[in-house]
């Protein structure tokens, strides 16, 4: 089986046709807290982002892939590698399945397992990490089911309209 293709979903590069999907995703306030966003994105900005998405992780220190169903190749979410550190061979992982009717079908777990395999086998990384607010039980379960281990807590790290929240650090080390 290919690294970025599973039985029900695949991970693919951004396409110009993904503009409306990204626009909706990035401007959904529900996701702003986890993406550290404080204002909307314009279609102009996102069009330029897609236009430059051909640049590799070594240049941009990040990679965004679309999580798409195999049946129609329609986007249902995104998985990101961010804060890539080539010297230390590590990268952060973030994922969102934005289509609510596509949640709880195992797609996120499959996507995380694919990105782990990609990171270790193709990018030759030593570790991946995920930063998750302590009240995000779905993400905690997802990353724990992907063999990430809780390694630390950043106290009062995230400010939201409900006050400060702690952020957990999860790591997966390739041994």
């Amino acid at each position: 089986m290919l690294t970025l293709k599973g039985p029900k979903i695949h991970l693919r590069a951004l396409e110009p046709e993904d503009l409306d999907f990204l626009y909706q995703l990035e401007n959904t306030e529900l996701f702003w807290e986890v993406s550290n966003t404080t204002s909307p994105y314009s279609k102009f900005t996102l069009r330029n982002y897609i236009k430059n998405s051909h640049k590799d992780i070594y240049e941009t220190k990040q990679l965004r892939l679309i999580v798409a169903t195999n049946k129609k190749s329609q986007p249902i979410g995104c998985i990101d590698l961010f804060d890539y550190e080539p010297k230390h061979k590590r990268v952060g992982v973030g994922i969102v399945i934005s289509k609510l009717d596509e949640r709880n079908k195992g797609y996120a777990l499959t996507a995380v397992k694919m990105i782990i395999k990609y990171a270790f086998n193709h990018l030759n990384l030593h570790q991946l990490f995920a930063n998750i607010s302590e009240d995000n039980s779905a993400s905690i379960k997802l990353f724990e089911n992907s063999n990430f281990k809780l390694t630390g807590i950043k106290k009062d790290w995230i400010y939201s309209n409900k006050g400060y929240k702690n952020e957990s650090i999860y790591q997966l080390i390739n041994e």
Side-chain angles (χ1 to χ4, degrees), residues 52-70:
N52 290 306
S53 67
H54 67 280
K55 296 178 181 178
D56 68 22
I57 193 169
Y58 302 104
E59 183 178 353
T60 63
K61 308 296 186 228
Q62 64 181 355
L63 174 66
R64 171 168 280 186
L65 297 172
I66 293 289
V67 179
T69 59
N70 285 347

Side-chain angles (χ1 to χ4, degrees), residues 13-14 25 31 35 52 65 82 86-87 93 109 126 134 140 146 154:
L14 292 169
L25 174 71
F31 304 134
S35 65
N52 290 306
L65 297 172
F82 62 92
K87 178 180 178 182
V93 180
L109 182 60
H126 175 63
E134 284 185 322
I140 290 169
S146 301
K154 295 183 249 179

